[in-house]
Amino acid sequence: MRFRIVKDKEFYRQVLSIMLPVALQQAINMGVNMMDTVMVGSLGEAALSASSLANQYYQFFNIFCMGIIGGASVLASQYWGAGEKEKVRETFNLALKLTLCVCVFFALLTWFFPRQIMAIYTSEEAVIEQGANYLSITAFIFVIHGTSFVAALLMRAVGKPRLGLAVSVVSFFVNIIANYIFIFGKFGAPRMEIAGAALGTLIARTFEFAITFIYIFAIDQSLGLRPRHLKKLPSASFFKNYFRLGAPVLVSDSLLGLGGNLVSIVMGHMGSAVVAANAICMVIDRLCTVVIQGISNASGIIIGNTIGCGRKEKAIEQGETFYLLSMGFGLIAAALVLIVGPLTVSIYALTEETVILTHEMMDAYAFIIFFQCIQSVMTKGVLRGGGDTKFLMAADILFMWLISIPLGAAGGLVLGWPAWFVTICLRIDYVIKSVWCIARLVSGKWIHEVEGLKETGKREAELTIEKMGIGKDGGRTEK
């Protein structure tokens, strides 16, 4: 099977302009998480397990936000490519309203039932107690973080990927300083231990919220989104478009988030040593995949913009190029896990049993991460940018819920398989989807235009591209 490769240098410059800010943002976020893990890990394995499991619950909330972003990005990128700014503003309007509803629900649930939430993930009382303290403060984070998170990520679809990077840089320093002060009780502050980590995150998220919306509402001129645009409800035709292409993304990402939490529940009931080892491996995994997350974001936005301009054949060629890039970076990520992973274990205060478990699970992560990179670019980037959301919903539901979770749960909770093998079983859907997406990619059936794209908008976008000196075939035009 031969894949076409885009040879135009402008295409790769565009990829880098989106990929690098996103990758740096993810690296900073993972750096913060790693520092949290190290600081909390110094308090003991119970505290490390509690914060890890509590954050898995928070990641479940994040998945809902990502579902909203994913659905909205399909529309925003295609509308932006067609030059329809008013439709893009309408997309932001709907996404922020949906996010606010999800945020309030999670905030109330967390405030009233922190112990019950932790009891789902583990049966160890010490871990439940510390995790409940962490979640009690986390309840105040949902609204401010969820809305700013969705807004900043949607700005990528309109050519503003650096906003998220700038916000993350500020958050990085604020979070580390606040964690140091409140976890260990420095500069006259009370020693709050694990609750101090949650308070530090709350302070950092508050800074993120302020910076994000000051920029969007008062500084940015390209999109021109202002508070008045959020007062009216989106039109009926817009709702139809969103739920045709966006609702499957919300459903599939929500079910993926629930599945990811079931993975954490399986690990949580295998003991605190397994949870601690997995928490360390997950940090390394995310650090080693920051570039692929950047490529995934870039592919979705570029593919969406290309389809918005009415250039379907070019979008297919770009999709095939992104597939090859995902394979190359997947190999690099696997190598980094094998090299960097073992070096980080020594910085944690772990028992000998947990050290052995961590090394074994790190090898499993190195195997899985190659396929994780491929399926991430295909499902969260190329195919989603092409609007193929119903196909992706089916793939996500079938492979995770019918294969990965039953197999991993049986192995981890009933058959007593080793943790490293359970880790592979719980993520075997990555392998399946990596192969499954190839046929869909080459078929070209994954391209679905947003209804109602104006031909005038497409022409304006093409004229803009021509002014930049890029021909319809992706090459430079003669001036």
Side-chain angles (χ1 to χ4, degrees), residues 288 291-292 295 320-336 369-371 373-374 377:
C288 292
V291 171
I292 211 68
I295 294 175
E320 293 174 358
T321 302
F322 280 120
Y323 184 83
L324 295 175
L325 287 173
S326 72
M327 291 183 66
F329 281 100
L331 289 172
I332 295 172
L336 286 174
I369 204 170
F370 171 72
F371 301 99
C373 290
I374 296 174
V377 171

Side-chain angles (χ1 to χ4, degrees), residues 128-148:
I128 292 174
E129 183 66 31
Q130 295 202 50
N133 291 337
Y134 187 95
L135 286 177
S136 295
I137 296 175
T138 302
F140 297 99
I141 300 175
F142 289 102
V143 172
I144 59 174
H145 180 226
T147 51
S148 61

Side-chain angles (χ1 to χ4, degrees), residues 212-371:
T212 299
F213 284 105
I214 288 173
Y215 177 82
I216 292 175
F217 289 148
I219 300 174
D220 176 63
Q221 299 297 324
S222 59
L223 178 59
L225 184 68
R226 298 296 180 261
R228 68 176 183 274
H229 294 123
L230 305 181
K231 293 179 181 179
K232 60 180 181 179
L233 287 174
S235 64
S237 61
F238 184 84
F239 268 110
K240 179 183 176 182
N241 243 338
Y242 178 81
F243 285 103
R244 182 175 69 90
L245 296 180
V249 177
L250 183 56
V251 172
S252 62
D253 276 10
S254 299
L255 289 173
L256 282 175
L258 182 58
N261 269 254
L262 288 176
V263 168
S264 298
I265 291 169
V266 171
M267 293 289 188
H269 287 277
M270 291 175 70
S272 59
V274 173
V275 175
N278 190 54
I280 296 168
C281 291
M282 286 177 66
V283 171
I284 298 301
D285 172 273
R286 290 168 183 167
L287 281 172
C288 292
T289 55
V290 293
V291 171
I292 211 68
Q293 290 179 54
I295 294 175
S296 178
N297 276 269
S299 63
I301 292 168
I302 292 172
I303 292 289
N305 289 168
T306 303
I307 294 171
C309 292
R311 303 160 71 201
K312 294 183 181 180
E313 194 61 34
K314 189 63 183 177
I316 295 175
E317 184 182 22
Q318 290 172 344
E320 293 174 358
T321 302
F322 280 120
Y323 184 83
L324 295 175
L325 287 173
S326 72
M327 291 183 66
F329 281 100
L331 289 172
I332 295 172
L336 286 174
V337 171
L338 291 173
I339 296 169
V340 177
L343 299 176
T344 63
V345 178
S346 60
I347 67 178
Y348 296 96
L350 305 173
T351 63
E352 184 178 349
E353 176 194 5
T354 306
V355 170
I356 294 171
L357 277 172
T358 305
H359 283 292
E360 292 175 347
M361 291 176 68
M362 202 76 75
D363 292 338
Y365 267 86
F367 169 74
I368 287 296
I369 204 170
F370 171 72
F371 301 99

